[in-house]
Structures are given as C-alpha cells and as structure tokens.
Amino acid sequence: MNNNDSRQVTFDSRSKLGSYLIFIGFLSASTLSVAAESAPAADTQPINLSAIAIFAAFVAVTMAITYWAAKRTTSNSDFYTAGGGIPAWQNGIAISGDFLSAATLLGITSGIYAMGVDGLTIIIGTLGAWPIVLFLVAERLRNLGRFTFIDVVSFRLSAASIRPLAAVASLFVLIFYLIAQLVGAGKLIQLLFGLDYITAIISVSLLMVIYVAFGGMLAATWVQFIKAVLLVTGGTVLCFLLLKHFDFSIGRIFTEAIQLHPLREEMMDAGIWLKDPISVLSVGVTLVFGFIGLPHILMRLFTVKDAADSRKSAFYAISIIGYFQLLILLIGFGAVALIVGNSNYHDASGAMIGGGNMVVLHITHFLGGDFLLGFIAAVTFATILAVVAGLTISAAATIAHDLYAGVIAKGRTSERSEMRVSRLSVIGMGLIAVVFGIIFEHQNVVFISNLAMAIAASANAPVLLMAMYWRGLTTRGACAGILVGLVLSVLFIVLGPQVMVDIMGMEKAFYPYTYPTVVSVPMAFLAIWYFSKTDTSQSAAAERRAYDEQFIVSETGIGISKASSH
C-alpha cells in the first residue's frame, strides 16, 4: 500500500457497524420514550412545542452537516483536527461555542441572582485565563503539537513514560466534565421537553456519537459554530427586550434589583459566597489554570492552518465570550428586578419553580413569552450537545492517539487501525456517558464539574506550561508533577466541604476550601521543579539539550503539518 493509500480510510464496514449501532440506539430510545409516556414523570413541565420545533431544526441541520463532513474525514488529521483547515474566525466562534456551556448560561445567571456580585467571580476567573492562552499558549501549542496537548508535553520527553500518565489525567477531566454536562442535560430536558430522564440521557449520547464518529472534528466544529451563533443571538435579543422593558436605562435595572433582592445593598458587596481571600484565590486559580488544562479546548487550537491563526482564534473567542459574559451580567441583575417575588415563577412555599438554575428561562418567559422561552430552551439543549461533542472527540483522541497509537502500539500502527480505535472509543464514550449519567442522576453537578476543573488545573496545566517554557524540565519531573497534581486535587476535594459536609453530612471538613487548587497547583509546580532539578541521568541531560530544538519549532512551526482544504 502506498503512502496516499495509507492515508485514506474506507468507511464501508465501519459505516455498516455504525448504522447498526445507531439503529439499536434509536430503537432503545423509542422504547424508553413509550415507557415514559405510559408513566408521566412528576418533574416534567407541559411540553413546549416551540422548543421542540427549534431543536428539531437544529438537529436536522447538524445531521446534514455531519453527512457532508463524513465524506471529507479521510485521515487521522481530518478526524482529530479537521486537517488544520478551519478558518481562524470560524474556529474562534467554535471555541466560544465549546467554552460557553449550559453552566455559563444557567449557572452564572443563577449565581448572580442568588449572591449578587459574588456570582461575578466565575466570569472574572474565566476571562482571566484567556490572555494567558492568547499570548503564552496558542501560538506555541499549534507549532509544537500534532493533535493533542499530550503531543506537546512529550515533544522532547520520554513518550512511553509521560503519555500514559498524561492520558489518564486527561481522561479523568473529560469523563467527569462529560458526566456533569449530561446530568445537567437530562434534568433540563426532563423539565422542559416532558421526556423521561433516561430517555434524555440516551438521546444526547446518541446524537453525540453520530456527530463525532462520522463527522469528526469538522462536524463538531460546525455544531459548535451554529450553537454559538444561536446562543449569542438569543442572549442579545433577551438583553434588548430587558433594556426595552426598563426604557433602556441600565441604572434603573441595578437600582430595582438592589431594592427587591432580599440582601438589598449587601448584594453589591463581596463575601456572600467567598468569605475570605484564600477562597477567592482558590476559585481564581481553579478557573485560570483549569481552563488552560482543559484538553477539549486546547485541541481546538490545532484545527487551524498555522500559529498565527491559532492566536487569532483565541482572540476571536475571547471577544465573543467577553461580550456574552456582559450579557449574562445584565440578565442576572435583570432577573432579580423582574423575577424576585413574582408569584408566576415561584411555588406556594416561595421556592423557584424548576430550581435555582431556571432563572434565565423564567426571565425569558417574562420578556418574550412561550416562543422566546422555546428558543432559549432549545439553544440550551444545543449548547450541551455541542459541548459533549467536543469532549467526546478529545477523549477519542486521548484513547486512540495518545494511549493506543503512542503507548500500546509504540507508534507502529496504521491510520486505518487508529481511526477504527477512535470510532470505537466514541461509541465507548457514549455507553459510559449513559451508564454514569444514570448513576450520577442525583449527585451534585457542581461537585462533578469542580472535580474536572481541579484536575485540569493541577495535573495538566503546570506540566504543559513548564514543557513549553522551562529548559530544565525532565520526564521524571513531568511525571511527578502530573501525579502530585492528580492525587492532591482528588484528595482535597474528598476531604473538603463538598464531600465531607454536603454529601457525608459532617459538621466540618478536614480541608476547609471548596477548591483544592490553592494547594495542589503550587505543589504540582514544586514537584516538577524539584524532581527535574535533582534528575542527573543521561536521559535528563539529553532532554534539556533538546529544548533548543523545541524552542525553534515552537517559534517557527518548522515541520508542522499542512492544512487541509474543506
């Protein structure tokens, strides 16, 4: 087989297998839907036909895109990074779509509604990560990497040692993040679409498998692109209606919010949620370093043609995300002014209908009626779908490229076999998502998300930054940093208030802070430095000398793959 033939992947047998699995999935979902209809759930709301119609249109369009993308996904590079041929502006919008999850729309708005300015901490922390990505990470990451950030970390280190550890840490992040998204999706769909929770989980997982297994990164990019456009459009319309309701007076929105909120003027003071400087620092460290260490976000920086476009992608993304965060700020305080005390959105006990995360949906209904509510609900569902697609393709790359091809096969594998493992990994992630989504149905979604972000911040980000910027890094130091970050982040969450107080019911936790990163991140950096400095082996000396070559490649991009045309 010649080189060109080896780069082409025939889909006949896999398409038949995929079609069979999809048919089984749809059959299972249909069966569960019938069961759900025969026994209506108490938690469901009346079905919103607008939401169903809009979401059905979204699925139809994205399925057509997946069919188109599948015909253009013929190599590993196409599957993992769309061949590096995504335009910078489109990739930037897709990155914003990957980043702006349902937690951003629902969670931050609800945080502002409940805690006032303390709810803005998450906005500030996430935006603080972007300058680092823009100026320190994006360009070098694109120049050094092939498909994943693990390629960058192992550029001059022992791949056999570093890849398994880095892959395990990445899979921890991706699986927990995926579970959090799916549990949130199941509850949201259960509430808004009148579906059974299990049916909702299976539906999202099935669509996720179809998008990624057949269309790869190209399909996932378009799903995220369309979702981002819809989300920003919906947020803009909602803010316009909000401003119109208050005669375009932003000051009046804040004034009425302060007057109506139970905390009154205290809602504008920090300390309701984060009561001391260390707590504030721990949240900031988690969000900044956690974002840098998210594999599915970093993977998107490889989908453009060169380092300049990677940097432009990050710039476009931060612009869109920053704009949307401003919308969230206005919507959060507007919700306080319009929803607090409104009997239409609270039950007889005074609790908000649907729970605290439904703030943005209630203000949407107040301002735009059933149609706008249906639109935002459908976009929220689409948001979850786009995020889980990005998570899944990153997990497939970690399993097939970093573990199978890089560790098990030791680089002696064909593109055909790696692509086969990639698609099987996608199907496996779909099954894992269904199983764990059901198991974690009643668990705290925030706890699961915090665990993912803490591991990303502690195990991934320190070694990535040191690999790119410190000549003295050795394999022993990198492995020690990943292990220390991974173990301490999990340990301190288990010993912290989220588990010992909220779950186990104890009065006091051994570790007093919600986020472990104020300890685990510095300790990971310290472990990297100490075990690298004390490494006197010949291999360590060779790894330090190899930094010069890495530096040249990171600055020039010499030898990186060419972009594909789509």
Side-chain angles (χ1 to χ4, degrees):
M1 181 180 291
N2 62 37
N3 188 54
N4 288 333
D5 290 338
S6 68
R7 289 188 59 80
Q8 299 300 315
V9 180
T10 57
F11 291 89
D12 291 343
S13 61
R14 284 187 295 276
S15 294
K16 291 177 182 178
L17 174 62
S19 299
Y20 177 75
L21 290 171
I22 291 168
F23 172 75
I24 295 297
F26 272 123
L27 185 63
S28 301
S30 301
T31 303
L32 286 167
S33 296
V34 172
E37 289 173 5
S38 65
D43 293 335
T44 59
Q45 294 277 57
I47 295 175
N48 188 311
L49 295 179
S50 298
I52 294 175
I54 295 168
F55 183 72
F58 173 85
V59 171
V61 170
T62 51
M63 282 295 179
I65 290 172
T66 302
Y67 177 77
W68 166 80
K71 294 187 292 184
R72 288 159 176 79
T73 302
T74 58
S75 69
N76 287 339
S77 177
D78 291 332
F79 185 81
Y80 296 135
T81 62
I86 303 296
W89 65 271
Q90 183 183 339
N91 193 51
I93 296 174
I95 290 174
S96 69
D98 217 347
F99 178 80
L100 295 172
S101 65
T104 306
L105 179 63
L106 302 178
I108 297 179
T109 309
S110 300
I112 295 172
Y113 182 88
M115 300 178 292
V117 296
D118 257 15
L120 302 178
T121 306
I122 297 176
I123 293 179
I124 297 169
T126 51
L127 288 179
W130 275 102
I132 299 176
V133 173
L134 182 61
F135 295 111
L136 297 181
V137 175
E139 186 170 343
R140 289 196 175 193
L141 201 69
R142 176 63 183 93
N143 279 344
L144 287 173
R146 291 180 61 213
F147 304 131
T148 69
F149 94 97
I150 299 176
D151 286 330
V152 174
V153 173
S154 60
F155 186 89
R156 61 187 171 96
L157 305 180
S158 171
S161 300
I162 198 71
R163 280 184 181 273
L165 280 174
V168 168
S170 294
L171 286 174
F172 264 100
V173 173
L174 293 167
I175 290 174
F176 281 118
Y177 212 90
L178 180 62
I179 292 170
Q181 292 292 323
L182 285 172
V183 172
K187 290 300 182 182
L188 182 67
I189 297 167
Q190 184 181 25
L191 179 70
L192 296 174
F193 291 85
L195 292 177
D196 178 77
Y197 176 81
I198 296 178
T199 306
I201 290 290
I202 291 177
S203 300
V204 175
S205 300
L206 182 61
L207 288 170
M208 171 187 80
V209 168
I210 294 172
Y211 289 143
V212 178
F214 291 96
M217 179 59 86
L218 185 58
T221 296
W222 276 102
V223 171
Q224 291 153 354
F225 177 89
I226 295 171
K227 163 253 171 162
V229 172
L230 292 174
L231 186 63
V232 173
T233 301
T236 302
V237 170
L238 187 57
C239 275
F240 174 80
L241 294 175
L242 177 64
L243 288 169
K244 183 180 178 182
H245 182 84
F246 286 97
D247 299 322
F248 297 94
S249 172
I250 295 178
R252 186 180 159 196
I253 295 175
F254 284 90
T255 299
E256 294 196 18
I258 292 171
Q259 291 174 349
L260 293 173
H261 200 281
L263 296 172
R264 297 294 191 270
E265 288 81 4
E266 291 182 17
M267 73 172 295
M268 304 303 291
D269 297 330
I272 297 172
W273 173 38
L274 303 171
K275 301 185 183 302
D276 58 81
I278 296 180
S279 295
V280 176
L281 180 62
S282 69
V283 173
V285 171
T286 301
L287 295 174
V288 171
F289 285 91
F291 178 73
I292 295 170
L294 288 176
H296 66 293
I297 297 292
L298 295 174
M299 193 172 178
R300 294 222 56 89
L301 298 175
F302 300 123
T303 63
V304 290
K305 66 179 181 179
D306 54 32
D309 274 10
S310 182
R311 190 171 58 250
K312 290 177 184 176
S313 296
F315 174 76
Y316 290 133
I318 189 175
S319 301
I320 295 168
I321 292 169
Y323 169 74
F324 191 76
Q325 301 285 31
L326 290 175
L327 299 182
I328 290 293
L329 168 63
L330 197 60
I331 292 169
F333 281 94
V336 176
L338 296 176
I339 304 302
V340 169
N342 191 321
S343 60
N344 293 326
Y345 304 107
H346 296 80
D347 59 24
S349 66
M352 182 174 292
I353 296 173
N357 286 328
M358 295 296 106
V359 169
V360 71
L361 298 176
H362 290 325
I363 189 175
T364 299
H365 182 265
F366 181 94
L367 294 170
D370 287 338
F371 179 79
L372 187 59
L373 173 63
F375 178 82
I376 295 297
V379 169
T380 303
F381 190 12
T383 295
I384 295 171
L385 200 55
V387 173
V388 298
L391 290 165
T392 304
I393 197 167
S394 185
T398 300
I399 294 170
H401 178 67
D402 294 316
L403 283 179
Y404 169 71
V407 178
I408 298 174
K410 301 185 185 304
R412 297 186 295 271
T413 182
S414 65
E415 287 211 24
R416 180 189 297 271
S417 63
E418 186 174 333
M419 286 284 283
R420 184 183 300 115
V421 175
S422 297
R423 285 184 163 82
L424 290 174
S425 300
V426 172
I427 295 170
M429 289 298 295
L431 294 174
I432 289 173
V434 171
V435 172
F436 281 93
I438 294 171
I439 292 173
F440 283 83
E441 177 183 359
H442 301 293
Q443 295 301 313
N444 188 330
V445 177
V446 175
F447 162 68
I448 304 171
S449 298
N450 287 348
L451 185 58
M453 289 293 286
I455 294 173
S458 307
N460 290 355
V463 72
L464 174 64
L465 292 172
M466 297 291 265
M468 290 193 293
Y469 285 98
W470 188 40
R471 178 190 299 272
L473 179 69
T474 68
T475 298
R476 191 176 79 165
C479 291
I482 293 172
L483 278 173
V484 168
L486 178 61
V487 171
L488 289 184
S489 58
V490 174
L491 177 64
F492 282 125
I493 281 187
V494 172
L495 297 179
Q498 290 185 101
V499 174
M500 300 195 71
V501 176
D502 298 341
I503 296 177
M504 298 177 64
M506 299 179 67
E507 292 186 6
K508 189 176 181 180
F510 288 112
Y511 178 78
Y513 305 108
T514 300
Y515 296 92
T517 47
V518 72
V519 174
S520 59
V521 169
M523 291 300 295
F525 274 110
L526 182 62
I528 292 171
W529 173 82
Y530 176 78
F531 285 99
S532 293
K533 290 291 287 185
T534 57
D535 190 350
T536 58
S537 64
Q538 291 184 350
S539 61
E543 289 164 357
R544 295 185 184 102
R545 290 194 299 270
Y547 179 80
D548 292 331
E549 177 189 351
Q550 176 184 305
F551 178 78
I552 293 172
V553 175
S554 70
E555 291 295 321
T556 63
I558 293 174
I560 62 172
S561 59
K562 301 284 186 182
S564 297
S565 176
H566 294 297

